[in-house]
Amino acid sequence: MDINLIDSHAHLPHLTNKPTLETLLTGAKDWGVEKIINIGTDLKEHPKVLEVCTNYQNVYCGLGIYPNAERDKTLADIVTKLEATLQTNPKVVAVGECGIDNTGWSNQRPLSEQEELFEAQIVLAIKYKLPLIVHNRNGTESVINLLRAAGKNAPFNAVIHCFDADWATAKRFLDLGLYISFSGFITRTTKKYLTGVAQKVPQDMYLVETDSPYILPQSAQIEVSPNKNNEPKYVRIVAQSVAKARGTTLEEVAYQSYTNSCKFFALH
Ligand SMILES: [Zn+2]
């Protein structure tokens, strides 16, 4: 049985030259990847992300401002520009990625400013009835507080992309009605706790992604050596790892995650 997958999170602008976008998208199709959500993380990148969506029928996008991006602009300026871009193309199917990153970047925004930027994007997601793609690195408390507060005023969907924590944390997100997205992290022997999360997550609450060109699945490392760039086709390896953790088949995980992604992003 052939399978259909959706890579719910890839950064195609970072990949355009290595290999060429065309080769990469053909490779994805050959591996059963039917649709890709292309992610834009700053204002300069958004036109490139939209261009790929316009040129390829099976590529959709999420547009957002990364926690540490656009530090030279005011919040009002960022929101105005992001909002204008969100309205330009029906293939924008999400706001994000956006969220909290406390990993000690050299250009890191202070936490309070990251929270303001995230909150502004939650407001946009609600306003345009789009789901939210959440980036969370050492920011669980802020993410939960802000999403919980926003959810009290208006219902909206959000996914914790590239989920990288234990079941207790996953449960806190799931209890708020949030989706969990598994990446190549689940293939790593150093992150065994993710197997437990994949085992227990309800079947209608998870997505799969590559976050390519980052987070290359462990078993793909030999194939793409030495450049080590991840690409959308490897979402199949992520799905295989989720299937193994859940004690089920790749077909079942492909079907379920495909259905979940279509519902989450309102794809047809
Ligand atoms: Zn990303």
Side-chain angles (χ1 to χ4, degrees):
M1 176 189 160
D2 211 7
I3 59 163
N4 288 329
L5 287 157
I6 295 178
D7 181 357
S8 73
H9 193 115
H11 296 270
L12 297 178
H14 303 196
L15 290 164
T16 36
N17 297 318
K18 34 177 182 159
T20 64
L21 185 60
E22 195 77 35
T23 312
L24 186 135
L25 293 174
T26 307
K29 266 225 161 70
D30 290 346
W31 283 49
V33 182
E34 188 70 21
K35 297 179 184 5
I36 297 167
I37 312 297
N38 189 14
I39 306 296
T41 58
D42 63 43
L43 296 169
K44 202 165 86 240
E45 206 176 68
H46 291 168
K48 293 187 234 167
V49 169
L50 283 168
E51 191 187 323
V52 179
C53 294
T54 306
N55 293 342
Y56 297 93
Q57 187 243 330
N58 64 328
V59 181
Y60 302 80
C61 71
L63 300 180
I65 307 296
Y66 212 70
N68 296 319
E70 308 293 355
R71 284 205 66 188
D72 58 334
K73 297 189 181 64
T74 65
L75 181 61
D77 193 18
I78 294 171
V79 170
T80 306
K81 291 193 164 89
L82 174 61
E83 186 165 8
T85 317
L86 283 178
Q87 298 176 79
T88 58
N89 194 314
K91 291 186 88 180
V92 180
V93 294
V95 174
E97 62 184 293
C98 55
I100 303 293
D101 193 310
N102 261 321
T103 48
W105 285 37
S106 54
N107 68 337
Q108 189 166 299
R109 263 195 181 85
L111 181 61
S112 61
E113 288 178 29
Q114 288 194 31
E115 289 177 339
E116 283 171 9
L117 178 60
F118 183 34
E119 207 173 1
Q121 293 178 87
I122 299 172
V123 170
L124 286 178
I126 292 170
K127 182 171 176 184
Y128 291 98
K129 296 187 169 47
L130 290 168
L132 196 68
I133 299 169
V134 180
H135 171 100
N136 173 33
R137 290 284 170 268
N138 294 337
T140 298
E141 297 313 317
S142 298
V143 167
I144 284 181
N145 289 340
L146 290 169
L147 291 178
R148 183 185 284 134
K152 280 185 184 141
N153 302 322
F156 64 97
N157 271 334
V159 60
I160 306 297
H161 112 83
C162 209
F163 184 79
D164 185 23
D166 60 7
W167 171 245
T169 308
K171 183 81 171 56
R172 293 179 70 197
F173 288 127
L174 290 164
D175 286 347
L176 280 179
L178 309 179
Y179 287 68
I180 298 289
S181 182
F182 296 105
S183 69
F185 279 155
I186 196 173
T187 68
R188 298 194 182 168
T189 44
T190 49
K191 295 185 182 287
K192 283 261 183 276
Y193 49 88
L194 288 173
T195 306
V197 177
Q199 240 164 30
K200 298 190 191 88
V201 66
Q203 62 171 4
D204 57 346
M205 294 308 289
Y206 73 87
L207 311 181
V208 288
E209 65 171 274
T210 57
D211 202 15
S212 47
Y214 317 109
I215 317 181
L216 183 67
Q218 207 152 36
S219 61
Q221 281 175 6
I222 300 159
E223 188 180 321
V224 297
S225 183
N227 79 33
K228 299 258 190 268
N229 273 341
N230 195 4
E231 50 179 290
K233 69 178 184 182
Y234 293 125
V235 77
R236 190 179 179 114
I237 297 177
V238 175
Q240 262 159 354
S241 294
V242 173
K244 197 172 164 211
R246 292 175 78 77
T248 184
T249 59
L250 171 62
E251 285 76 10
E252 168 64 22
V253 167
Y255 172 78
Q256 196 61 57
S257 60
Y258 191 96
T259 306
N260 296 345
S261 278
C262 285
K263 186 177 165 211
F264 183 81
F265 295 110
L267 307 177
H268 306 291

